Amino acid sequence: RRGPRRFGVIDPTEFRRTLGRFATGVTVVSAYDEGGNPRGLTANAFMSVSLDPPLVLVSLDNRSRTKPVLERAGRYGVSVLAEEQRALSDHFAGRPQEGLEIAFEERAGVPLLKGALAQVAARVVAVYPGGDHTLFLGEVEYLSWREGRPLLYYAGRYGRLGEWG
């Protein structure tokens, strides 16, 4: 077990390892580029913000190719991946999967992945700089969900949900 670091000095590797102990679901954040083509990236930095109005937030690395797409589009989709969609997560994380069939469907003006456990389409209402990331606050305009098992991410690895007691 690692102890605390010196005050005022946080090692980036230890920061990532520490926060990696927070298990999350896996999403693909998507939007249409200027040519009308769907673009997306794998992200686990997604959260609900408010019920009234319904708001969600995604955090994108400033170096990502999808960030300027979201900025121009003014809306984005979030597809919460199911356990069997690991290959999609890898693909949109920059590890192309040969022969992978990627099926998008449009809802509320954004591309969403077919077969996702949950789908959310949001209109960007605010953008906040956050260090090496940018936060996109969106008002939800469409949502749907289905039963299934989520794809999980913990300590830098994919995992599976255990049985609910």
Side-chain angles (χ1 to χ4, degrees), residues 40-115:
L41 81 155
T42 299
N44 65 346
F46 165 70
M47 64 181 282
S48 65
V49 175
S50 169
L51 292 174
D52 185 18
L55 299 173
V56 294
L57 182 132
V58 295
S59 175
L60 301 186
D61 189 310
N62 291 333
R63 298 168 299 170
S64 83
R65 290 179 290 172
T66 305
K67 178 185 169 268
V69 173
L70 255 68
E71 289 171 330
R72 281 191 299 272
R75 53 189 351 98
Y76 60 86
V78 178
S79 300
V80 177
L81 299 185
E83 202 173 71
E84 64 272 13
Q85 292 178 305
R86 179 175 171 172
L88 286 169
S89 174
D90 286 337
H91 178 82
F92 287 102
R95 296 180 297 278
Q97 306 292 298
E98 188 154 333
L100 179 65
E101 184 178 322
I102 301 170
F104 283 103
E105 56 189 354
E106 183 176 315
R107 299 288 186 260
V110 299
L112 294 161
L113 288 169
K114 285 185 178 181

Side-chain angles (χ1 to χ4, degrees), residues 3-161:
R5 293 298 198 200
R6 287 184 293 151
F7 292 110
V9 178
I10 302 295
D11 176 70
T13 302
E14 285 302 307
F15 184 69
R16 178 176 283 236
R17 285 181 183 152
T18 300
L19 296 185
R21 292 327 188 248
F22 180 62
T24 67
V26 180
T27 71
V28 170
V29 177
S30 55
Y32 286 118
D33 67 15
E34 289 181 21
N37 302 303
R39 300 288 176 218
L41 81 155
T42 299
N44 65 346
F46 165 70
M47 64 181 282
S48 65
V49 175
S50 169
L51 292 174
D52 185 18
L55 299 173
V56 294
L57 182 132
V58 295
S59 175
L60 301 186
D61 189 310
N62 291 333
R63 298 168 299 170
S64 83
R65 290 179 290 172
T66 305
K67 178 185 169 268
V69 173
L70 255 68
E71 289 171 330
R72 281 191 299 272
R75 53 189 351 98
Y76 60 86
V78 178
S79 300
V80 177
L81 299 185
E83 202 173 71
E84 64 272 13
Q85 292 178 305
R86 179 175 171 172
L88 286 169
S89 174
D90 286 337
H91 178 82
F92 287 102
R95 296 180 297 278
Q97 306 292 298
E98 188 154 333
L100 179 65
E101 184 178 322
I102 301 170
F104 283 103
E105 56 189 354
E106 183 176 315
R107 299 288 186 260
V110 299
L112 294 161
L113 288 169
K114 285 185 178 181
L117 276 186
Q119 298 175 323
V120 175
R123 177 179 51 84
V124 176
V125 295
V127 178
Y128 302 101
D132 59 5
H133 280 61
T134 298
L135 311 177
F136 292 85
L137 183 66
E139 184 166 359
V140 176
E141 296 181 327
Y142 170 84
L143 51 83
S144 71
W145 62 276
R146 69 173 179 86
E147 295 293 338
R149 297 178 64 79
L151 180 61
L152 298 180
Y153 198 70
Y154 176 77
R157 298 191 334 228
Y158 294 111
R160 294 178 178 257
L161 187 64

